[in-house]
């Protein structure tokens, strides 16, 4: 009798689960025809199980009709498999054509069902504790063969889908194959009596698992809530197994330890009573939990809706100030009192605060001045602080990405601007040459003035070409003193005291033409400021220092504006002297960078203005990319 009750209970659970799953799938399906077909499969599974129950309770006609409708189950499954597999990039025209002819398959299935009912393709045998169980007779061979054929076709479509798809769809199909193997094992015991094998269908006791596992395998990679449900279902199943084990142990040892009344109760009744208690506990658990939270943390009202609202509002902040302001508003609205959020500050004022800081392990938050608040408010601050710290980390990453993108666009703009400047400089050379030639017939004073302005324009064009173009360095040994002498011979140093303090034999590996440009720009720049002074003086000193050559150009001209930083000083057009292009110092730094050297302004060496150049004696060793005599292109 116990097996009969267990079988009936299993069939009841499967039937109810089939109806519930079908309703849920139809509610979720919306425009998804594949889930509607799967819902049809669940309905037919529920009706098939209900047919067994009808036979159990002597409803012979109803039970036979429902069980002989067996072919409709694989029909719905075949329809589902076609729609589920034939999606996206893996869509195949011939599968679409088969799906389009599914109405004919449904019509054939209904015809087989009607034929089976008409000829009486089924009967019953006394198998389960003398209660009737369905078997196919000779006329039922068509029904059974057609059902098996549709099942093979449905799983054949899944095999094709597994080969064509990738990612979550491929994993879903693989999960369905595992479930199909499980379903085949359960269904095998159903057909044994039809072949004269009168064995109790033990596998059918696990029928509820087949339908749930099939649906879970299909939708687990599409709907997150399904995985939450599966987590809860697995927990419930584990608890049921624990209860079963505990009851079995109590039943075995209750007699020897003196619990005679418990020993006389059947094990299945103890298990059933325990499951009822477990079910009641699961139902009342949410209310009991909320009650205990209200009791322990009075005033704390936290739920998924509040956390989702906090998350949504904080995500809208695009700056640190906006994030801080938004966080304070959310807390004040929830707690009905002002709460300050302090970002990365050591000193805090009085009042309830949430300090948010970053250390080596990341962002974290902690409430301050919270000793006198209720446990509920403290819990709210802890939860909000944890969420706020997460948003700080996300905002930090977002701002870093935005800054990187801005720098990329700036660099791209500079490249485009450099190309445009180089093109303009080349185009300006032609009209300047024409003006120079046309000025030869002008009066001497006019021609001199024109030539001076043309020289100035040519110098500006040259500076633009140097700054915007590509630097090509030709390394070779360079003696500093002769190079400096050639530079001074090209410059007008009248009325200026020039002093050279050079160690003998100073030499380095560099591009002599580019190094000459550096010296010309720095000395010419100094001359522009001291030439009109009665005591104008320029001193050039150079010496070795470790593996570098240090060259300093001093002048006693007016000191530079202290508000101009080192970085700003060498930007183009920032420190523009009268008559200059504004590119001199920028070109110097570019050449120095190309040689892996450094340049900076100093005012701590006893002179109002000093520019210090540090050049490696062998820049190719510094860069580890060149040998002496090779050419290096610097973009």
């Amino acid at each position: 009798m116990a097996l009969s009750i267990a079988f009936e209970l299993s069939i009841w659970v499967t039937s109810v689960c089939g109806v519930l799953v079908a309703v849920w799938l139809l509610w979720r399906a919306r425009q998804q025809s594949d889930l509607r077909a799967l819902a049809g499969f669940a309905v037919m599974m529920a009706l098939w199980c209900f047919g067994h129950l009808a036979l159990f309770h002597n409803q012979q006609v109803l039970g036979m009709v429902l069980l002989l409708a067996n072919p409709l189950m694989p029909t719905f499954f075949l329809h589902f498999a076609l729609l589920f597999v034939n999606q996206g990039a893996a869509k195949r025209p011939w599968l679409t054509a088969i799906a389009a002819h599914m109405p004919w398959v449904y019509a054939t299935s209904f015809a087989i069902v009607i034929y089976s009912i008409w000829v009486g393709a089924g009967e019953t045998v006394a198998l389960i504790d003398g209660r009737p169980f369905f078997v196919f007779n000779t006329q039922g061979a068509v029904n059974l063969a057609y059902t098996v054929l549709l099942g093979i076709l449905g799983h054949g479509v899944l095999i094709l889908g597994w080969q064509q798809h990738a990612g979550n769809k491929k994993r879903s199909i693989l999960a369905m194959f595992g479930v199909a193997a499980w379903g085949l094992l359960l269904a095998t015991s159903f057909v044994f009596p039809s072949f004269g094998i009168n064995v109790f269908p033990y596998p059918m006791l696990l029928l509820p698992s087949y339908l749930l596992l099939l649906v879970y395998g299909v939708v687990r990679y599409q709907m997150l809530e399904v995985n939450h449900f599966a987590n809860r279902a697995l927990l419930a199943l584990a608890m049921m197994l624990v209860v079963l084990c505990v009851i079995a142990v109590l039943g075995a040892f209750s007699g020897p330890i003196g619990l005679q009344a418990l020993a006389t109760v059947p094990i299945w009744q103890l298990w059933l009573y325990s499951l009822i208690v477990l079910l009641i506990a699961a139902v009342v658990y949410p209310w009991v939990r909320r009650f205990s939270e209200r009791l322990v943390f009075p005033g704390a009202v936290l739920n998924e809706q509040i956390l989702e609202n906090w998350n949504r509002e904080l995500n809208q902040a695009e700056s640190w100030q906006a994030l801080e302001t938004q966080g304070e508003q959310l807390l004040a609205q929830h707690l009905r009192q002002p709460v300050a959020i302090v970002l990365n500050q050591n000193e805090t004022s009085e009042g309830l605060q949430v300090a948010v800081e970053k250390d080596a392990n990341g962002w974290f938050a902690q409430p301050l001045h919270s000793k006198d608040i209720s446990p509920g408010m403290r819990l709210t601050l802890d939860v909000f602080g944890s969420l706020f710290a997460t948003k700080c980390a996300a905002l930090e990453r977002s701002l870093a990405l935005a800054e990187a993108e801005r720098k990329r666009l700036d660099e791209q703009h500079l490249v485009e601007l450099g190309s445009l400047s180089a093109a303009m400089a080349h185009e300006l050379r032609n009209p300047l040459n024409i003006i120079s030639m046309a000025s030869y017939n002008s009066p001497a004073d006019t021609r001199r003035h024109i030539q001076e302005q043309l020289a100035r324009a040519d110098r500006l064009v040259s500076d633009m070409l140097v700054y915007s173009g590509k630097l090509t360095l030709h390394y070779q040994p360079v003696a500093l003193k002769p190079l400096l002498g050639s530079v001074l011979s090209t410059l007008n140093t009248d009325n200026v005291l020039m002093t050279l303090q050079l160690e003998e034999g100073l030499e380095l590996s560099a591009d002599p033409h580019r190094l000459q440009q550096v010296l010309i720009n720095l000395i010419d720049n100094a001359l522009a400021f001291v030439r009109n002074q009665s005591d104008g003086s320029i001193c050039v000193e150079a010496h070795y220092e470790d593996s570098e050559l240090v060259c300093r150009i001093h002048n006693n001209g007016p000191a530079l504006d202290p508000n101009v930083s080192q970085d700003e000083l060498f930007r183009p057009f920032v420190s523009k002297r009268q008559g200059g292009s504004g590119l001199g110092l920028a070109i110097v730094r570019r050449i120095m960078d190309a040689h892996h050297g450094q340049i900076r302004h100093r005012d701590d060496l006893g002179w109002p203005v000093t520019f210090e150049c540090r050049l490696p004696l062998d820049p190719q060793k510094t860069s580890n990319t060149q040998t002496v005599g090779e050419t290096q292109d610097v973009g």
Side-chain angles (χ1 to χ4, degrees), residues 38 172 175-176 179 210-221 223 226-231:
L38 188 60
S172 291
M176 291 168 62
V179 177
Y210 170 60
L211 187 61
L212 295 177
L213 288 175
L214 178 63
V215 175
Y216 179 59
V218 173
V219 300
R220 66 166 297 188
Y221 295 105
M223 304 177 187
V226 174
N227 295 282
H228 292 322
F229 170 79
N231 182 54

Side-chain angles (χ1 to χ4, degrees), residues 78 99 180 199 208 215 234-235 300 322 353 355-356 404 496 502 508 550 557 598:
L78 174 62
V199 177
V215 175
L234 186 61
L235 179 60
Q353 298 176 356
V356 186
V496 176
L502 306 178
L508 74 160
V550 180
Q598 296 178 349

Side-chain angles (χ1 to χ4, degrees), residues 238-369:
M239 292 300 298
M240 290 173 61
L241 292 176
V242 170
V243 169
L244 182 61
C245 293
V246 171
I247 294 303
V249 172
L250 287 177
F253 292 98
S254 56
I257 63 176
L259 299 176
Q260 298 300 330
L262 184 61
T264 58
V265 180
I267 294 295
W268 70 269
Q269 290 186 11
L270 289 175
W271 185 53
L272 181 61
Y273 298 153
S274 300
L275 288 182
I276 293 174
V277 173
L278 185 63
L279 178 61
I280 295 174
V283 171
V284 302
Y285 170 74
W287 288 280
V288 174
R289 185 191 63 182
R290 282 195 288 269
F291 173 75
S292 63
E293 288 178 351
R294 297 287 180 85
L295 189 64
V296 177
F297 301 107
V301 181
L302 294 176
N303 51 46
E304 292 183 2
Q305 183 177 359
I306 292 176
L307 295 178
E308 183 179 353
N309 178 62
W310 285 351
N311 187 65
R312 182 177 61 256
E313 294 295 331
L314 292 176
N315 277 336
Q316 296 178 1
E318 298 181 353
S319 66
W320 293 110
Q321 182 61 40
L323 182 64
E324 185 176 347
T325 302
Q326 188 65 45
E328 291 176 347
Q329 291 177 354
L330 290 174
L331 275 179
Q333 181 181 3
H334 187 78
L335 298 178
R336 295 182 176 84
Q337 72 175 71
V339 181
I341 294 180
V342 184
L343 285 171
N344 284 326
Q345 295 183 12
N346 295 325
E347 296 183 3
T348 59
S349 58
E350 295 297 325
L352 191 57
Q353 298 176 356
V354 176
V356 186
E357 301 178 5
K358 182 182 179 182
D359 59 10
N361 298 320
W363 289 89
F364 68 94
Q366 58 180 351
L368 299 178
H369 313 300

Side-chain angles (χ1 to χ4, degrees), residues 477-602:
V478 178
L480 184 61
K481 192 170 184 178
L483 180 66
L484 189 57
S486 66
V487 167
L488 294 177
S489 66
T490 63
L491 299 175
N492 180 13
T493 60
D494 295 342
N495 301 322
V496 176
L497 176 61
M498 291 294 306
T499 305
L500 300 181
Q501 298 178 359
L502 306 178
E503 293 182 0
E504 292 297 329
L506 292 177
E507 189 176 283
L508 74 160
S509 178
D511 184 318
H513 174 66
R514 298 300 183 185
L515 188 56
Q516 186 180 47
Q517 281 183 292
V518 169
L519 296 172
I520 289 175
N521 283 358
L522 292 176
I523 297 175
D524 186 55
N525 189 59
L527 286 171
F529 288 102
V530 303
R531 183 177 286 117
N532 297 326
Q533 294 183 189
S534 59
D535 60 343
S537 177
I538 296 177
C539 177
V540 180
E541 65 162 302
H543 61 275
Y544 288 135
E545 190 172 304
D546 297 329
S547 59
E548 293 179 326
L549 185 144
V550 180
C551 180
R552 300 188 179 108
I553 293 95
H554 312 281
N555 72 80
N556 63 348
L560 300 184
D561 185 354
N563 295 324
V564 178
S565 66
Q566 290 281 348
D567 188 57
E568 291 176 332
L569 183 62
F570 294 96
R571 290 179 185 172
F573 311 115
V574 171
S575 180
K576 183 176 179 180
R577 61 183 173 83
Q578 185 177 3
S581 66
L583 293 173
L585 291 179
I587 292 172
V588 168
R589 185 171 70 171
R590 189 154 187 246
I591 294 174
M592 293 295 294
D593 289 342
H595 283 83
H596 306 284
Q598 296 178 349
I599 182 169
R600 61 171 177 162
H601 164 258
R602 298 183 63 174

Side-chain angles (χ1 to χ4, degrees), residues 74 77-78 81 149-159:
F77 184 81
L78 174 62
L149 176 63
L150 289 182
I152 293 174
L153 289 176
H155 288 85
V157 172
L158 291 180
I159 292 175

Side-chain angles (χ1 to χ4, degrees), residues 67-68 70 121-123 134-138 140-141 143-144 190-191 193-194:
L67 290 171
L68 289 175
N70 187 49
E123 56 189 39
F134 175 86
V135 294
F136 287 103
N137 55 26
T138 305
N143 186 301
L144 182 59
F190 165 69
V191 298
S194 299

